[in-house]
Every structure is written in structure tokens, then in C-alpha cells.
Amino acid sequence: MKRAGWYLVAGTVAGFAGVVVLHGRGAPAAQPAAAGTGGGAGPARAGSSAGLSPASQPAQPTRSSPAAAGGPAHGATGATEQFGYGKLAVKVTVTGSRVVNVTVPVLQTLDPTSQQISEQAIPMLRSQVLAADGAHINGVSGATFTSQAYVNSVQAALDKLHLK
Amino acid sequence: MNAPTVRSGSALPVGGGRRHATPGRPRVPLPRPALARTALLVAGVGLGVTTALTFTAETAGEFTAPGGPVTFAGNLTGMIGTYLALMMVLLVSRIPAIERVLGQDGLLRWHRRLAPWPISLLVAHAVFITVGYAQAARSGLWHEADILLTRFPDVLIATIGLGIMCLIGVISIRVIRRRLSRETWWLVHLYMYLALALSFMHVIVLGPSFVGHPLTRLVWSLAWAGTAGLVLVYRFGLPVVRSMRHRLVVVEVRPEGPGVVSVICSGRDLDKLPVAGGQFMMWRFLSRGRWWQAHPFSLSALPRPPYVRLTVKAVGDFSASLSGLRPGTPVMVEGPYGAFTRHTQVWPRAVLVAAGIGVTALRSLLEDLPRKSAPIVVLRASRREDLVLGGEVADLVRYRRGQLHVLVGHRDQASIDERSLRRLVPDLDRRDVFVCGPESFVASIVDLVKSLGVVDEAIHHEAFAL
């Protein structure tokens, strides 16, 4: 059959363009808040909804919205930590000198399995930090890289808040 | 319609070449090139969508992270490779609408030509992903390969699938394939379905284009399920239904020449078998040692209900064993297949060229040509006794007011070259050329007539692979 190649190429170009156009149009919706990263049902939920934000938006230290109820709450986001399978940044909220909430506004992993591992580890790391009231925690075994990055970012956030 | 002489020696009325069509023969579904073009377009769209999905699943951050570019290359090769593997399956799924345009011959040629691509791309995918992940984790390659195989879901089983795929790729390399029997090769080749099934899950579970994208997952799964369905319907269901309907049994095995036999089968409702002259079927003779393999043989005459005839030359173990076929053996069939029919003709007149046992397809095609269509028929054989069905062809040609040229002798003495072809067929560029015979013969004639100005659309060929 003559011109077979042209039909194939035309189809390929059309298919590619179609997906790219549709993706571009649906872009805001196409960023699912799939990574329910440890924020829990607390008032600081807003902080975690950034989920899979692209790294092109650097994680700025944010003195964000009123978080925990009662008392002046301060928040700071630690440096974005690379941990081999991806990167994360942790936001710490304190009232006085007490850590009242920890969220993960930036979590990006290279592959879905790492995403899964991180998502399992992050809630545990959060409760460890809240219990220890600081960055001196044991971490989660099986998620060593994630734990290290988490601890480093928590420490960086606390440093920004001039605590501990 | 008056019937000229029947010169066949048997009492069975199959051998004669009388009419160009038995009244009441079912209409053969005509090839519709537009359908094949649409299929090509759809295949292209699929390729574009698959490629684009890899790009849209990638963020700038992922790409710039350590190992990002290599991992992306891994995703891209994986997606395109898997999509091409799907196309390979579709090419051999015998979808009738496409088969009628390209012919089994053409589909297999595409399949053979494209097949190295999916395998190489998928091997590249495995390498890229391992390297990319190792870079990201700042660990060694072997360590990373171990992690991928043992920790990641479904990766181990997909790797086994890739191993099977590579094995099949290796045994399909011409040099190696020639050393294997057709049956062994075919049986091993069937494991490709297993290999593809094994690799399916890891794509859906781990592929960045699919994780968190339920719609993409659904469409991808449907595409694979649909392909599996087509394979089941056209490679399995339809042949079983046809075989049950016609219930063919062997009634006679008749020697035609040195190592050549005709097998005559009888069956029910053969007037409803939609077959065109020049087509072939896959034959499975249900007797000990033969039932598990189906072989392609041309019909050497249009069905003359309740009889149908195939003529076979002993070239391999199987075809040699057919002379020992017992009357009463049940037969299962697939097909008819092939675009080597008058329905693909672009000119009103034709020249038919056959070498050796290629005469079988030519014989039934000739029977399908209208009266007074003045076909020019060229038969080539190494020895006079190899010229089987010669009498029948002569009768059919005479009835159609055509000319028959017979070239007998060694390749060097009785070859078909530019000079002889111009002399035998002065109006070559205003005729369709049908060539049938061994692969090398077909290739040389196709090259020759192309060089003499015959357009691609007017060249039709069916090559017999040994």
C-alpha cells in the first residue's frame, strides 16, 4: 500500500498533539492531591495540599496562615532535601517553643513505589517529631532515605524559627 | 455455460477447469483499502498518544533530578516498545478486513520487519530504568537491579517476560531460524503471548503515565483486552466455527508428479465458503502426529461442492508425510487468507507467473478470471515432470482465450529476464502481474517487472516459504 507511512505519521502527530493539548487544558485538575502527605485532619491541612508541586516552584519559607488554634503560631518550611528517590520539604508549625504540627508541602519521587514508601513513612515520622518535640527521632526503618531527608528538613525549619 | 474437456484422470470432478465461477458461489468480501488506511491512521494515533502520555507524566523537577533523563528515556522506550508489541500482535491476529488488503503475506512481512523494534526498545527500557534508578539512589547498578527485581511489585515477573521475548527474538534471527524446524519455531513463538501477559501488570502498577490516572489505566487495559479478544475470535473462534460447519474429511490423495500430491477433501456447505481463486488456507489434518500443527497450502482449484482440493509438494517432514494421509481423516481449516486474488486487480488484463509448486495458487486464480480475459500465463519448472497441473492450466487458459508459455530447464537456461518477458508480454505495463513461487523467484520477478515500469499496485505476489 502506497503512502502507508504518511497515514501512520499523520496519526501519530494528531495523537500526540491531542494529548498534549488536552493535558495543557486540564492541567490544574490533572495535578491530583494524591499525596496525602501526613497533614492529617488538622487545621494545617492547607499546607499539605500542595502535594506534587513541581520543583520549579522553590519551597519558600512561608510564614503562613493561622494554623493551630490558640496562641501565636509560627511556621517555617525547611530546605528541600534530595533523598535519592526524590525530594521533600517539611513545614513545621510551633506555638511558643512547642512543635504543634508538621506537614510536607513538597514531596516528589522518581517512581510510584518510592512514592508509596514515602507516603507510608511520613505519618510515622510526623508523630515521632511531635512526640520528640524536635528533630531527634529514630526514623522509620525501610525508609532510611526519606527519614534522613525529613529530619534534615525539620531541623532546617526549626533553625529558621530560631529554635533548638 | 458449456464445459470443455476435463483432462484429469480421476472420477472425482474436482480436477477439471471448466467454469470461471460456479453459480451460487458466495460473494467474496472485497478488499477495501480505505479500511486498511483507517487502521493505519488509528495505529498512528495510538502511537502518538502513547508517546505524549510519557511526556505529560514527566515534570521538570523529575527530569532534572539525578537519574532523571535516563529514567525518562526508560519510560519512553518502555511505553513505545509496549505499544509496538501490541501492534505486532494485531498484525498477526488475522483481522479479515486488513488481511484482505495486505494479505497474510504482507502482514507477516510487516510483522517480521517491525518485530526487532519492540524487543530492542524493551531491552533498552530495562537498562535505562536500572541505570536511572541507580543514579537517583546513588547506588551501584547490580545493587539497583536487585532492588528492582525483589522490592518492586511485578518487576520480576515482567523481567521473566522480557527474557522469553529476547529468546524468541534470537531464534527468529534468520540464520538461527533456518536451523530449526518450522514446528519448533512456531511453538516457541507462541510463548510470546505469555511474555506479553507477564509484562502487563508492571506497566499498570508502576508506569508513571498510569499511576494516579485511572482513565489512562482503563483505556490501556481495554486496548490490551480488545487485542486479546481479536486474537481469540479470529485465530481461534472463527476457524473452529468454520471447521465445524464444513466438516471436511480427506477422500482421496492423488499423486500429481515427483513429490507432489493433491489432497481432495469433501465437506458440507462448501458453496458457502467465501474463497477467491489464489487464496490459501491453514490446514490441520486430525490424525496421529499431525493434529497439533496447521500448515498453509493453496487451494489448487476453486471448491466444487462437495469437494475441495489442495496440492502439496513435499519440501518438509510434514508435507512429505501427506502422501500417507488416509481417506476419512477429519480436517480443520483456518482462512481462506491472501490478497493474491483478482479482486486486487487494477487493470482488466493480467499476466500470471508461477514457478514450481506456485502453479497451485495460479491454477485457482486463473479459474476465477472471467471468460475472454486473455490472460498470459508463464510457468517455470526445472524439469518437465515437475510441471504439475499443466494440463488443467492449459485448458483454463484456452477457455479464456489466453496464452500459455512454459519454460522448462535449469535456472540459467530457462530464466525469465527482461528480454524474454518483453517478448512474451508486449503490453506488460497495462496488465496486473501475479507472481507465485519460492521466495527468491518471487523477489526476482517483482524486481524485474518494477524495473520495467509496472506500478506497485499492479504487482501481486504470494511467496511460499520453505
Side-chain angles (χ1 to χ4, degrees):
Chain A
M1 201 163 41
K2 255 192 174 173
R3 291 183 297 273
W6 288 111
Y7 283 95
L8 211 56
V9 170
T12 308
V13 171
F16 190 92
V19 169
V20 169
V21 167
L22 281 177
H23 178 79
R25 207 174 274 172
Q31 296 277 343
T37 44
R45 179 88 186 145
S48 68
S49 68
L52 293 163
S53 72
S56 49
Q57 300 170 337
Q60 299 278 334
T62 44
R63 305 239 157 227
S64 76
S65 54
H74 305 282
T77 304
T80 303
E81 296 283 333
Q82 301 270 359
F83 62 100
Y85 293 99
K87 54 174 116 178
L88 59 75
V90 179
K91 186 188 171 200
V92 178
T93 311
V94 296
T95 311
S97 64
R98 192 166 173 74
V99 178
V100 292
N101 202 1
V102 191
T103 59
V104 179
V106 176
L107 172 65
Q108 240 183 49
T109 49
L110 279 174
D111 60 278
T113 301
S114 305
Q115 177 88 18
Q116 216 178 340
I117 293 170
S118 298
E119 282 174 22
Q120 279 170 3
I122 283 169
M124 294 188 237
L125 293 165
R126 174 175 180 267
S127 44
Q128 285 184 11
V129 168
L130 289 178
D133 195 22
H136 301 288
I137 59 168
N138 292 326
V140 175
S141 67
T144 318
F145 291 148
T146 311
S147 299
Q148 274 171 7
Y150 195 89
V151 167
N152 292 346
S153 194
V154 167
Q155 191 57 58
L158 291 173
D159 290 346
K160 273 180 195 158
L161 294 163
H162 308 294
L163 288 168
K164 284 156 197 146
Chain B
M1 252 186 276
N2 62 334
T5 51
V6 178
R7 260 198 231 156
S8 97
S10 166
L12 291 164
V14 187
R18 288 184 284 183
R19 294 160 291 189
H20 81 263
T22 314
R25 226 156 51 73
R27 286 184 70 85
V28 175
L30 297 182
R32 288 160 62 190
L35 263 176
R37 279 196 287 269
T38 312
L40 263 176
L41 203 64
V42 171
V45 168
L47 182 62
V49 167
T50 309
T51 315
L53 283 176
T54 319
F55 280 89
T56 54
E58 184 81 1
T59 62
E62 283 166 345
F63 193 76
T64 49
V70 183
T71 306
F72 178 70
N75 291 335
L76 194 63
T77 47
M79 288 290 279
I80 296 178
T82 315
Y83 181 76
L84 289 182
L86 185 77
M87 291 297 111
M88 292 303 101
V89 176
L90 281 173
L91 276 177
V92 290
S93 67
R94 326 303 200 238
I95 303 170
I98 298 175
E99 203 276 331
R100 277 196 289 276
V101 179
L102 290 172
Q104 194 75 284
D105 198 32
L107 288 172
L108 285 178
R109 209 169 37 244
W110 277 60
H111 179 87
R112 227 175 282 157
R113 202 177 291 168
L114 290 177
W117 282 97
I119 296 180
S120 333
L121 283 171
L122 291 175
V123 169
H125 159 73
V127 173
F128 280 142
I129 290 288
T130 312
V131 172
Y133 279 29
Q135 284 178 359
R138 298 187 182 81
S139 66
L141 261 186
W142 296 116
H143 177 67
E144 193 57 37
D146 178 49
I147 288 179
L148 279 166
L149 289 176
T150 54
R151 302 255 180 89
F152 282 62
D154 301 307
V155 169
L156 178 62
I157 204 159
T159 310
I160 296 172
L162 182 63
I164 298 175
M165 225 177 255
C166 291
L167 175 74
I168 295 169
V170 167
I171 67 160
S172 300
I173 295 171
R174 209 171 266 255
V175 186
I176 299 171
R177 195 189 157 173
R178 247 186 256 142
R179 288 159 196 252
L180 297 170
S181 74
R182 182 182 179 278
E183 293 79 26
T184 312
W185 177 85
W186 182 78
L187 270 181
V188 178
H189 204 89
L190 276 189
Y191 276 93
M192 192 57 99
Y193 289 121
L194 175 69
L196 292 173
L198 290 181
S199 69
F200 178 78
M201 272 319 283
H202 94 288
V203 181
I204 290 283
V205 172
L206 296 170
S209 308
F210 299 101
V211 174
H213 297 89
L215 183 66
T216 320
R217 243 180 205 179
L218 182 73
V219 171
W220 188 262
S221 306
L222 284 180
W224 279 90
T227 305
L230 286 173
V231 169
L232 278 178
V233 167
Y234 291 121
R235 288 199 74 162
F236 182 74
L238 190 64
V240 166
V241 167
R242 273 216 173 122
S243 299
M244 299 289 276
R245 179 175 187 190
H246 297 300
R247 292 192 184 279
L248 291 169
V249 287
V250 175
V251 292
E252 189 190 331
V253 179
R254 185 200 301 165
E256 297 277 2
V260 180
V261 293
S262 279
V263 179
I264 294 148
C265 303
S266 77
R268 302 187 309 183
D269 293 338
L270 283 179
D271 53 331
K272 304 218 167 60
L273 181 71
V275 60
Q279 287 192 306
F280 69 93
M281 298 177 89
M282 304 290 291
W283 302 84
R284 185 188 297 274
F285 298 96
L286 303 183
S287 63
R288 208 145 66 102
R290 297 192 187 92
W291 63 271
W292 58 278
Q293 35 181 327
H295 287 253
F297 295 119
S298 291
L299 295 172
S300 57
L302 288 175
R304 194 78 31 99
Y307 300 108
V308 63
R309 184 182 78 175
L310 60 148
T311 302
V312 180
K313 184 175 183 184
V315 287
D317 297 342
F318 182 84
S319 45
S321 83
L322 287 182
S323 56
L325 213 52
R326 294 238 178 84
T329 307
V331 186
M332 288 188 71
V333 287
E334 290 172 44
Y337 296 131
F340 190 73
T341 68
R342 73 185 177 97
H343 304 294
T344 53
Q345 235 176 294
V346 295
W347 297 102
R349 303 206 159 176
V351 48
L352 284 58
V353 188
I357 196 64
V359 69
T360 53
L362 180 145
R363 155 76 177 74
S364 63
L365 172 63
L366 189 56
E367 197 178 351
D368 229 357
L369 296 183
R371 210 183 158 185
K372 291 184 186 167
S373 57
I376 298 177
V377 175
V378 185
L379 295 183
R380 215 207 82 82
S382 316
R383 299 171 300 174
R384 183 143 297 272
E385 56 267 35
D386 287 334
L387 208 65
V388 295
L389 307 178
E392 293 179 18
V393 170
D395 284 345
L396 289 165
V397 169
R398 195 175 319 132
Y399 182 66
R400 286 164 181 77
R401 307 271 190 274
Q403 300 165 38
L404 173 62
H405 304 285
V406 178
L407 302 168
V408 176
H410 190 262
R411 237 166 262 223
D412 307 330
Q413 292 135 31
S415 71
I416 300 171
D417 55 16
E418 183 178 341
R419 222 166 49 111
S420 59
L421 202 60
R422 274 201 194 287
R423 186 168 48 80
L424 298 177
V425 194
D427 56 347
L428 183 68
D429 54 347
R430 274 169 308 179
R431 279 178 186 264
D432 281 81
V433 181
F434 288 89
V435 197
C436 191
E439 259 173 305
S440 57
F441 172 80
V442 168
S444 70
I445 297 292
V446 166
D447 285 347
L448 176 61
V449 298
K450 263 188 196 168
S451 73
L452 294 178
V454 180
V455 291
D456 284 351
E457 288 85 350
I459 303 174
H460 319 275
H461 48 89
E462 193 79 79
F464 293 157
L466 300 185

